[in-house]
Amino acid sequence: MSESPASRLQQLFEGHRLTPTQRRIAHCMVRRAADVPFLSSVELAELAGVSQPSVTRFAVALGFDGYPALRKHLREVAPAEPAAEPAAYNEYQQAVEAEIENLRHLAAMLADPAPVERAGRLLAASRPLPVLGLRAAASQAYGFSYFAAKVHPDVRLLDEGGTMLADRIDTAVRAGATALLCFALPRHPREVIEALTHARAAGLTVVTVADSAFAPVAKVSDLLIPAAVGTGLAFDTACAPMLLGRVLLEAMCDGLPEAQARLEEFDARAVARGLFVE
């Protein structure tokens, strides 16, 4: 599979120390990857919610003489024309189309399976395995934990903040945990940053699924794998992060030799208890 415009933009930004404002611009550019080569600095500034001089400084930070030079470079590596506007779609269909595009970006990123495979090994080796997700990301953490518990001997869901969160992380470390999986979605709670900072100080390797490689959690993650969220509706949609969570489950199973036996054992117990109607 050929690289998507978003993937090429991610590579352009890698290795640069960006300010929070510059990360915001980068995130906006990744989300509008097909359109960015045709936007003026003023239009990009409006989309990102920053000033026009901030866009110019961002281009210079990437090593270009200014925004025109950056846009010229993007036109050379991007498709020849911007993506067509889905004018015939209503707002609900547009939200679905945006999520389909997010999934395409995820598929392009997974052409290199190395990060996911590394994450799978880290998660499989951690006993116990704490899984963190607060507020908007709580459902992602719960879904992962529900299925992971069928193949991993000790999964610990951390889906509530407060003063006990650090204590629960410390308890997992004392029990032998070596890694923590975090789902981090907008809006990013301050507690998540604090929890990941604490986890790393306690010796855990932090694997994070976030909406962008430039999310605030990037600086407190050892391995971050991005999966974009949809923003076309009143509340964000997270199909790509959910699917990435299932991909990580698959990779983790590859690192658990007993995974298949555990699944078969669960199925036998489920039949005996009549858990399901199928």
Side-chain angles (χ1 to χ4, degrees):
M1 181 183 297
S2 61
E3 284 188 319
S4 68
S7 298
R8 288 192 288 269
L9 277 174
Q10 294 276 18
Q11 293 175 6
L12 176 64
F13 302 145
E14 286 176 359
H16 294 280
R17 185 179 296 275
L18 303 177
T19 67
T21 296
Q22 290 168 350
R23 288 198 299 270
R24 185 171 182 174
I25 298 170
H27 187 191
C28 177
M29 291 178 69
V30 170
R31 292 191 54 80
R32 300 293 296 269
D35 301 322
V36 163
F38 308 93
L39 298 177
S40 69
S41 60
V42 173
E43 290 170 328
L44 178 56
E46 290 178 353
L47 284 173
V50 301
S51 67
Q52 189 275 335
S54 294
V55 172
T56 299
R57 289 193 291 269
F58 172 71
V60 172
L62 295 179
F64 296 93
D65 292 335
Y67 182 73
L70 170 58
R71 186 170 62 175
K72 180 177 182 294
H73 172 77
L74 295 178
R75 286 179 174 177
E76 292 172 351
V77 299
E81 58 184 30
E85 288 294 328
Y89 294 151
N90 62 41
E91 60 179 311
Y92 311 123
Q93 291 175 302
Q94 289 177 24
V96 173
E97 289 294 326
E99 282 291 55
I100 291 172
E101 186 61 25
N102 286 340
L103 292 174
R104 288 196 181 100
H105 290 166
L106 178 60
M109 182 197 70
L110 292 174
D112 176 11
V116 165
E117 291 172 349
R118 180 190 171 206
R121 291 191 296 269
L122 289 168
L123 302 180
S126 185
R127 311 289 177 87
L129 172 61
V131 180
L132 172 66
L134 302 183
R135 295 185 180 267
S139 61
Q140 305 296 327
Y142 175 84
F144 181 94
S145 299
Y146 172 79
F147 290 111
K150 298 183 186 303
V151 295
H152 191 288
D154 191 354
V155 179
R156 303 190 182 185
L157 175 63
L158 308 177
D159 61 350
E160 295 182 357
T163 58
M164 293 292 292
L165 183 54
D167 294 342
R168 297 178 67 190
I169 291 173
D170 290 340
T171 298
V173 171
R174 286 195 295 271
T178 55
L180 177 147
L181 174 62
C182 174
F183 288 87
L185 302 178
R187 302 170 64 184
H188 294 277
R190 187 182 305 275
E191 279 185 296
V192 172
I193 306 295
E194 295 169 350
L196 296 187
T197 300
H198 182 84
R200 294 180 81 193
L204 294 179
T205 299
V206 172
V207 177
T208 301
V209 171
D211 58 300
S212 166
F214 310 101
V217 292
K219 62 184 178 182
V220 287
S221 301
D222 297 292
L223 174 58
L224 186 147
I225 308 177
V229 300
T231 58
L233 301 176
F235 298 100
D236 290 347
T237 51
C239 295
M242 181 185 72
L243 181 53
L244 179 54
R246 298 298 187 269
V247 170
L248 286 173
L249 272 170
E250 187 76 11
M252 187 180 75
C253 286
D254 291 340
L256 293 168
E258 67 275 22
Q260 187 59 39
R262 286 181 179 274
L263 284 174
E264 292 174 0
E265 180 184 353
F266 171 80
D267 285 341
R269 291 199 309 268
V271 170
R273 294 168 59 192
L275 286 182
F276 306 111
V277 297
E278 293 93 341

